[in-house]
Amino acid sequence: NTPAPALVFSHDSRGFVASHGATLTTYGGYLWVGDRAANRIVVVQVARDLVVNEITLAGSVSPDPAPDLMDVAPSGQNVYVSLRGPNPLTGNVPGVNNAVGTTPGLGIVRGGGAGGVLVAVAPISRVVDGVERADPHALRVRRT
């Protein structure tokens, strides 16, 4: 542990936070950290260890996307995010519903530096006995 780890940011004062997936962007040296419970991505400028933005994902494309794991497109212009479903298989805290989302699928966030916007969702569905059971929990961009 040399050098000693440093606390870059904490959102403990905001109540329940479910930081989970993260990715380094291609351009500009930014780290994107997803918060499932708050439907946002916290953007950290790596060179300065400084939070420079928070991208709100909830909106017209999805009212409750619950972002999970993410990866950057080879072009660096989009970030792909797995979005949780209404019946999460893992990681949910009953009563808080930090991993519950309304649009299970692949979220497409246009951007990749200090900012971005959720522009589309490629839905994933698995209905069993009339109940949506799809719960995407990971993804990886394969560079060919």
Side-chain angles (χ1 to χ4, degrees):
N1 287 332
T2 303
L7 178 64
V8 175
F9 71 93
S10 171
H11 287 165
D12 289 345
S13 64
R14 295 183 175 188
F16 197 92
V17 176
S19 295
H20 191 63
T23 192
L24 285 169
T25 63
T26 304
Y27 304 107
Y30 297 95
L31 174 69
W32 284 21
V33 181
D35 180 350
R36 292 184 296 210
N39 292 307
R40 74 173 157 239
I41 295 172
V42 177
V43 181
V44 176
Q45 188 178 39
V46 176
R48 295 174 31 206
D49 283 344
L50 181 68
V51 173
V52 295
N53 195 11
E54 293 187 17
I55 301 167
T56 300
L57 298 179
S60 62
V61 175
S62 172
D64 186 9
D68 207 60
L69 302 183
M70 59 188 87
D71 202 2
V72 180
S75 70
Q77 296 176 355
N78 293 320
V79 175
Y80 301 105
V81 183
S82 59
L83 305 178
R84 303 297 297 271
N87 296 294
L89 298 172
T90 61
N92 193 51
V93 177
V96 178
N97 289 331
N98 58 290
V100 173
T102 58
T103 49
L106 175 70
I108 302 164
V109 180
R110 177 88 15 94
V117 62
L118 180 63
V119 295
V121 173
I124 297 172
S125 182
R126 181 173 181 263
V127 177
V128 177
D129 296 327
V131 177
E132 180 61 73
R133 296 289 181 192
D135 186 35
H137 190 60
L139 69 87
R140 183 73 175 143
V141 172
R142 182 175 156 192
R143 288 149 176 80
T144 57

